[in-house]
């Protein structure tokens, strides 16, 4: 068995909440790294870089949740992508609002503020993803 297959098999054996944390953590890390790189290399304001970080992380998040966390539902296709994108956008509105408060109201560091905000928004994302975005649709 190849290394990737073994890793995937072990991830599939985890409880769903732990799978969500692994995928969400990967997406959050992607988001953070993207924002950090964009701000450092271009000087773009963090709130604008956060939009780019969200879009890049969405790709990681959707694919990870569709193929791992919520794979048992077999809910894939454009309708599922649209529902999950709606969930992600709702989460991003909360993210951007809390991030603006942390940056401009509390004057916290952009990187650590974003890390905290990503953790706070994750719980709502799990609930909406499980019970709406990736819910099995019956005819």
């Amino acid at each position: 068995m190849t290394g990737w297959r073994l890793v995937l098999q072990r991830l599939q054996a985890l409880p769903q909440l732990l799978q969500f944390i692994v995928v969400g953590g990967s997406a959050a890390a992607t988001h953070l790294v993207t924002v950090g790189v964009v701000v450092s290399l271009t000087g773009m304001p963090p709130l604008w870089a956060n939009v780019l970080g969200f879009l890049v992380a969405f790709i990681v998040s959707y694919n990870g949740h569709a193929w791992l966390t919520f794979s048992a539902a077999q809910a894939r296709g454009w309708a599922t992508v649209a529902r999950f994108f709606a969930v992600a956008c709702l989460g991003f509105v909360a993210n951007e609002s809390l991030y603006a408060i942390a940056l401009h109201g509390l004057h916290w560091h952009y990187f650590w503020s974003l890390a905290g905000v990503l953790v706070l928004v994750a719980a709502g994302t799990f609930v909406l993803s499980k019970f709406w975005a990736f819910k099995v649709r019956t005819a």
Side-chain angles (χ1 to χ4, degrees):
M1 184 173 288
T2 65
W4 285 110
R5 287 184 191 262
L6 183 59
V7 169
L8 183 58
Q9 187 178 43
R10 287 188 177 162
L11 288 172
Q12 289 170 332
L14 293 173
Q16 187 181 46
L17 184 58
L18 288 179
Q19 291 173 347
F20 182 84
I21 290 169
V22 168
V23 171
S26 299
T30 300
H31 193 142
L32 279 168
V33 167
T34 301
V35 170
V37 167
V38 169
V39 169
S40 296
L41 294 180
T42 69
M44 182 183 286
L47 285 171
W48 285 105
N50 194 33
V51 175
L52 293 175
F54 163 74
L55 293 172
V56 173
F58 175 79
I59 297 165
V60 173
S61 184
Y62 172 76
N63 284 295
H65 291 315
W67 294 99
L68 180 64
T69 312
F70 305 110
S71 63
Q74 294 293 309
R76 296 190 188 94
W78 289 112
T80 302
V81 172
R83 285 190 305 274
F84 186 68
F85 191 68
V87 168
C89 286
L90 182 62
F92 183 71
V93 167
N95 168 310
E96 192 77 343
S97 299
L98 292 170
Y99 194 36
I101 291 167
L103 290 173
H104 300 297
L106 301 173
H107 306 287
W108 291 352
H109 187 272
Y110 79 91
F111 190 83
W112 300 114
S113 296
L114 181 57
V117 166
L118 290 171
V119 170
L120 286 174
V121 173
T125 300
F126 176 75
V127 171
L128 287 171
S129 295
K130 180 176 178 73
F131 296 107
W132 184 63
F134 288 98
K135 184 176 180 180
V136 176
R137 304 285 185 234
T138 56

